[in-house]
Amino acid sequence: MQLLEQTYNLNDIDAAASRLWSAVKQYRLITLTGDLGAGKTTLVSALGRHLQIDDAVSSPTFALVNEYTMYQEGKKYPLYHIDWYRLRNEKDAFAAGMEEYIEDAMHGRCWCIIEWPDKAHALLQRPWVAVYIGTNEDGTRTMTVNAEV
Ligand code: ADP
Ligand code: MG
């Protein structure tokens, strides 16, 4: 089910992140797919600003998981920014404890944003939201957002 499609550049990425959050916040698990350089980390940074995260959002590629504190309707929640780029498969993801983050998300205890979800697709649990970012010829990005329910 398509929730949103929008084209944006760096000048209006904060508005794009705000629209994205409005469309997806009822879901706890969000996947982010796009080529290297598509703008995945940049989008998570913009979401971080929208969610009033204090720490600057960086790429989790070397950490696998970056934990932030976010605020939603006056309450504090962990936001896990997870990058499966360096995992090979579900076995790696399971060994790294990834199913626990997903369980927490399913129980409403946190939000998870996972880059490179296809590395361990079988670990995902419905419902989740899949965000795809593509680069256009003029350098703008188009994101397509689907709910997998
Ligand atoms: P990824 O994490 O997908 O590899 P990055 O977030 O590191 O990609 O972004 C790669 C480059 O693309 C950065 O230089 C960033 O400034 C630029 N970029 C990201 N989003 C946009 C956008 N919407 N419009 C134009 N440039 C963008
Ligand atoms: Mg990145």
Side-chain angles (χ1 to χ4, degrees):
M1 175 179 57
Q2 184 164 307
L3 299 177
L4 178 68
E5 184 171 88
Q6 58 178 342
T7 296
Y8 60 103
N9 58 32
L10 290 178
N11 293 322
D12 55 13
I13 192 168
D14 286 324
S18 166
R19 279 192 295 269
L20 172 62
W21 188 253
S22 298
V24 308
K25 64 184 174 190
Q26 71 187 100
Y27 301 93
R28 296 304 185 110
L29 178 58
I30 299 160
T31 65
L32 203 44
T33 301
D35 294 337
L36 275 177
K40 300 181 294 298
T41 302
T42 307
L43 180 61
V44 178
S45 301
L47 273 177
R49 287 192 292 277
H50 181 69
L51 298 170
Q52 300 161 265
I53 286 170
D54 301 329
D55 311 310
V57 172
S58 62
S59 175
T61 299
F62 298 101
L64 202 59
V65 179
N66 284 349
E67 179 177 352
Y68 300 100
T69 298
M70 58 170 268
Y71 298 89
Q72 192 63 25
E73 284 160 5
K75 281 164 72 182
K76 248 170 120 167
Y77 295 91
L79 168 66
Y80 297 106
H81 180 199
I82 300 171
D83 193 335
W84 286 352
Y85 182 68
R86 295 199 305 165
L87 302 181
R88 283 165 305 181
N89 52 34
E90 277 81 7
K91 213 176 145 206
D92 279 1
F94 201 79
M98 289 298 119
E99 83 288 357
E100 289 176 27
Y101 293 99
I102 291 167
E103 278 296 321
D104 273 4
M106 289 300 123
H107 286 92
R109 293 193 283 261
C110 66
W111 269 267
C112 289
I113 301 179
I114 302 181
E115 298 189 31
W116 301 95
D118 291 341
K119 293 290 184 107
H121 203 263
L123 255 72
L124 301 177
Q125 290 186 40
R126 291 176 196 277
W128 81 86
V129 169
V131 179
Y132 301 92
I133 305 177
T135 304
N136 303 309
E137 272 181 19
D138 64 0
T140 61
R141 309 303 203 258
T142 297
M143 76 163 76
T144 307
V145 183
N146 294 318
E148 305 290 339
V149 293

